[in-house]
Amino acid sequence: SPTGGAGMGDLTADGLRAYMAQYGEIDTCVVMRDPSGRSRGFAFLTYKDPASVVKVLDKTHHLDGKQVSLWLN
């Protein structure tokens, strides 16, 4: 399954999953956190269908009023 990253602020995995699910079914969504539990500002998503990744990368995304950087691994 395709995995990508998202650079973001202090967004929850549930919030990110809810937003990104509009592009396809998500297999995994993990927000990276520091030892204190605060978001490190990035996450990893895996979509079940590779076509969803094409849809996501074709657009500019804003979450919580900030533009999100996306990349494909």
Side-chain angles (χ1 to χ4, degrees):
S1 295
T3 301
M8 61 192 174
D10 193 28
L11 187 68
T12 65
D14 288 342
L16 181 61
R17 181 183 287 274
Y19 174 78
M20 299 304 270
Q22 67 184 305
Y23 299 99
E25 190 175 355
I26 296 171
D27 187 34
T28 60
C29 177
V30 179
V31 174
M32 303 309 293
R33 301 200 173 274
D34 67 18
S36 72
R38 290 183 11 187
S39 170
R40 291 183 53 202
F42 66 98
F44 294 95
L45 297 163
T46 304
Y47 282 95
K48 290 191 176 189
D49 181 358
S52 298
V53 176
V54 174
K55 292 180 201 174
V56 168
L57 293 176
D58 192 41
K59 301 193 181 291
T60 302
H61 302 277
H62 292 83
L63 299 171
D64 293 339
K66 296 179 183 173
Q67 185 169 339
V68 177
S69 301
L70 302 173
W71 61 93
L72 178 65
N73 287 344

